[in-house]
Amino acid sequence: MNWEAIGSIGEVIGAIAVVSTLIYFSIQIRGLSADSFSDSLSRVNEGERELSKMKQNHAALIIKANSGAVLTEEEEFVLREIFFSHWVFHLIAYLRSRTYGRDGAINVHNMTRTLIEYPCFLQLFRNESWRSGANEGSFDYVQQIDKRLSERGI
């Protein structure tokens, strides 16, 4: 066997090693993506439970705010905290879904539903002062929610 034949065999073995490594890495990355998405879903479910607890714990305050009653400064603070907890949770879920190639429509739907169910939150949502700090992802989210609300005549 001459040196050229040995070199050719080495090149073939090297090519096979490179291809097999690429296949292995692609399988690993797919597995990590699936695990990451599954972890993301479990975080969403956990967040939904926390938001439900928050609404249950402050149900009387939400009812009072929805009735149009005057709130104390502390009550307004708590109401804003509940609203922005919802807002941040649904925004993060929306951005995660966009990261995984989904359109985020379910997150827009959930936040729109929350705003319709709780007029006091809708009032906070319509407040323009907090929107000025919106980045591109959250601005798109706000526009989609505004569109859904206007489609419903709200």
Side-chain angles (χ1 to χ4, degrees):
M1 202 182 257
N2 63 20
W3 286 108
E4 285 182 28
I6 292 172
S8 296
I9 292 171
E11 285 181 20
V12 169
I13 291 172
I16 291 171
V18 166
V19 169
S20 62
T21 301
L22 290 174
I23 291 170
Y24 173 77
F25 284 149
S26 69
I27 291 169
Q28 291 299 313
I29 288 171
R30 281 189 186 157
L32 288 174
S33 293
D35 291 346
S36 180
F37 183 69
S38 174
D39 182 48
S40 180
L41 286 178
S42 68
R43 287 183 186 173
V44 167
N45 290 335
E46 181 181 323
E48 285 284 355
R49 283 191 297 274
E50 289 298 317
L51 291 174
S52 292
K53 283 182 194 175
M54 189 180 285
K55 285 191 287 191
Q56 288 172 355
N57 291 342
H58 299 287
L61 173 62
I62 292 171
I63 290 169
K64 181 179 177 181
N66 284 338
S67 71
V70 177
L71 301 178
T72 66
E73 192 174 310
E74 182 180 327
E75 289 172 329
E76 285 182 20
F77 178 80
V78 171
L79 191 65
R80 281 191 187 96
E81 183 180 352
I82 296 167
F83 167 72
F84 284 111
S85 295
H86 272 76
W87 174 254
V88 169
F89 170 76
H90 287 295
L91 175 62
I92 289 171
Y94 170 78
L95 294 174
R96 279 187 184 153
S97 68
R98 297 297 298 261
T99 301
Y100 291 109
R102 291 163 175 78
D103 65 358
I106 188 68
N107 308 106
V108 172
H109 169 77
N110 287 341
M111 191 63 205
T112 304
R113 188 188 68 214
T114 299
L115 294 173
I116 291 169
E117 288 176 11
Y118 301 98
C120 57
F121 291 167
L122 180 62
Q123 205 171 16
L124 289 170
F125 176 77
R126 293 267 163 86
N127 180 354
E128 295 293 325
S129 64
W130 68 271
R131 293 187 188 202
S132 61
N135 62 25
E136 185 178 321
S138 61
F139 183 72
D140 177 52
Y141 183 59
V142 169
Q143 285 182 322
Q144 288 187 41
I145 292 171
D146 277 335
K147 180 181 173 193
R148 285 199 178 213
L149 289 170
S150 66
E151 287 171 355
R152 289 175 171 74
I154 297 173

